[in-house]
Amino acid sequence: MKRITYPERQGWRDKAREVGFGFHEMYGEPYWLDDVAYAFTLQEIEEQIEAPSQELHEMCMDLVGDIVSSEEALDQLAIPEELRDLVRDSWEREDRHLYGRFDLAYDGAGPVKLLEYNADTPTSIFETAYFQYNWLIDQIEAGVLPADADQFNSVQESLIEAFGQFSKAPIFHFAAKTDNEEDRGTTVYLMDCAVQAGHRVELIDIGDIGVDALGRFTDLEDRVIDRCFKLYPWEFMLRENFAPYLPRSGHAFVEPAWKAVLSNKGLLPLLWKRYPDHPNLLPSFFTDDPGASSLSSYVQKPLLSREGENVSIFTNGKELAAAPGDYGAEGFVIQEYTPLFESEGGFAVLGSWIVGDRACGLGIREDRSRITANLSRFVPHVSLG
């Protein structure tokens, strides 16, 4: 694993705007970096990233049934008691899921370590699946990269295949906060993949979803929502005013309700308990577990945190880094601290994508901080044999 500087492509910003990637820059700061890339060997990709990601996903899936059938585990994950049957029934019904992203620490030497599983509403999929692949092709055609340069990236094909596994509803709705450019761009990209799989689609703002007299979710034209991809987390949905209607129509949503237990940081100590000393896991504990006190260097994470909010890093009892936010009332977990790959660009986290049930791609984000946050930069990658 190396961070290599390359000449940026001429006109790449125009290309980004043409394909709806207007959020390549956010709040006056670059989000996409076109003049650098992380390079890996094929062996690194296959043995150190793809294979462990596949195994981690299978470990997670093996754990879901035990979590949803355990009141103690659901308590630990702060799943609202009145909606636990919704989560449980979703799993027992085998509601189909679409995708997720593991955040992994990797220093180019030891095994990758799982930091968390973004199993419900992961973003950066357009950048991973589409725009960094275009970067690869353009750089090969320009002679910057060798003709045999490759990328761990079959994400788009996998998405189209996965959408093809969903039965055809009259309309496959896609819901997001449409005034957020990144959320809208991500959702529109996924809509395009669904169209390629043969679905009729429509975009709706999450706030415009209504409820009819029978308690069914509806769109602005009062059409019943039979299936809906939602870029809106289950931990929010389970606590919204419309939550009482979820047991009737909650099966319509993608990701399904059972993903609420995989997108929760409480998954980390449950995985560690099931698979102690697994080479791709870090020791992790709920804060009331005596094992938590055994860690001198650790990361404290809220159960429901997103984009690094309210995450704190401690080394030898002293705070090394901390991020503000609005999470924490739901409880925390403690995870052993492991260093990230560090270069002149900062600290890098590997995002390893699972689509359907297959590990199929890699996206990398880096930040000057040790805590990856909302505006951390996206950097393409390349496999050089």
Side-chain angles (χ1 to χ4, degrees), residues 264-324:
N264 189 300
K265 306 299 187 300
L267 173 70
L268 299 170
L270 296 177
L271 277 173
W272 182 252
K273 183 177 180 180
R274 171 68 72 86
Y275 303 100
D277 301 317
H278 189 282
N280 301 120
L281 297 178
L282 292 164
S284 302
F285 306 95
F286 292 102
T287 51
D288 60 356
D289 189 316
S293 61
S294 67
L295 303 178
S296 60
S297 296
Y298 60 89
V299 182
Q300 180 177 276
K301 301 179 178 183
L303 292 177
L304 306 178
S305 172
R306 290 175 177 271
E307 304 290 2
E309 288 193 28
N310 300 102
V311 170
S312 300
I313 301 174
F314 297 85
T315 57
N316 300 317
K318 296 182 179 180
E319 187 175 270
L320 181 64

Side-chain angles (χ1 to χ4, degrees), residues 21 77 121 147 149 162 172 179 181 203 214 220 226 234 287 291 319 324:
F21 189 19
L77 271 57
T121 58
F172 200 141
D179 61 351
E181 188 174 16
L203 179 66
L214 298 178
L220 288 173
D226 297 300
W234 271 108
T287 51
E319 187 175 270

Side-chain angles (χ1 to χ4, degrees), residues 67-311:
I67 296 175
V68 301
S69 62
S70 167
E71 290 298 317
E72 179 185 6
L74 293 171
D75 276 339
Q76 291 174 312
L77 271 57
I79 302 297
E81 188 172 352
E82 66 274 15
L83 291 170
R84 291 178 183 178
D85 283 344
L86 170 74
V87 176
R88 187 178 297 116
D89 292 347
S90 173
W91 174 253
E92 293 176 352
R93 198 169 47 232
E94 299 183 350
D95 288 351
R96 186 173 295 281
H97 67 112
L98 179 65
Y99 72 150
R101 189 194 75 229
F102 287 115
D103 282 354
L104 306 172
Y106 180 58
D107 62 3
V112 297
K113 299 291 186 179
L114 174 63
L115 301 176
E116 62 186 60
Y117 194 8
N118 300 281
D120 185 16
T121 58
T123 53
S124 76
I125 193 161
F126 169 79
E127 304 91 293
T128 298
Y130 188 83
F131 206 67
Q132 74 163 342
Y133 182 73
N134 283 357
W135 174 90
L136 175 75
I137 298 303
D138 286 347
Q139 297 290 40
I140 291 174
E141 291 179 351
V144 173
L145 292 174
D148 60 351
D150 204 353
Q151 210 171 66
F152 177 34
N153 194 357
S154 59
V155 176
Q156 181 160 302
E157 304 95 295
S158 299
L159 284 168
I160 295 168
E161 179 184 339
F163 274 120
Q165 299 301 310
F166 287 92
S167 59
K168 302 296 190 296
I171 301 175
F172 200 141
H173 286 83
F174 283 72
K177 288 189 172 182
T178 55
D179 61 351
N180 180 295
E181 188 174 16
E182 181 182 8
D183 285 4
R184 182 185 178 94
T186 297
T187 305
V188 168
Y189 170 69
L190 291 169
M191 288 173 64
D192 183 67
C193 291
V195 168
Q196 293 184 62
H199 292 280
R200 179 187 173 197
V201 302
E202 185 156 325
L203 179 66
I204 184 172
D205 189 273
I206 194 76
D208 288 334
I209 294 178
V211 180
D212 70 9
L214 298 178
R216 300 171 299 182
F217 293 116
T218 58
D219 65 14
L220 288 173
E221 297 182 26
D222 294 325
R223 296 173 297 195
V224 172
I225 294 175
D226 297 300
R227 180 166 294 112
C228 181
F229 170 87
K230 44 102 200 142
L231 197 65
Y232 194 70
W234 271 108
E235 63 260 26
F236 292 175
M237 293 178 66
L238 294 175
R239 293 164 174 82
E240 295 280 7
N241 291 334
F242 60 70
Y245 299 102
L246 286 168
R248 180 181 181 90
S249 299
H251 63 277
F253 291 104
V254 181
E255 296 296 309
W258 60 260
K259 275 293 191 81
V261 306
L262 291 188
S263 62
N264 189 300
K265 306 299 187 300
L267 173 70
L268 299 170
L270 296 177
L271 277 173
W272 182 252
K273 183 177 180 180
R274 171 68 72 86
Y275 303 100
D277 301 317
H278 189 282
N280 301 120
L281 297 178
L282 292 164
S284 302
F285 306 95
F286 292 102
T287 51
D288 60 356
D289 189 316
S293 61
S294 67
L295 303 178
S296 60
S297 296
Y298 60 89
V299 182
Q300 180 177 276
K301 301 179 178 183
L303 292 177
L304 306 178
S305 172
R306 290 175 177 271
E307 304 290 2
E309 288 193 28
N310 300 102
V311 170

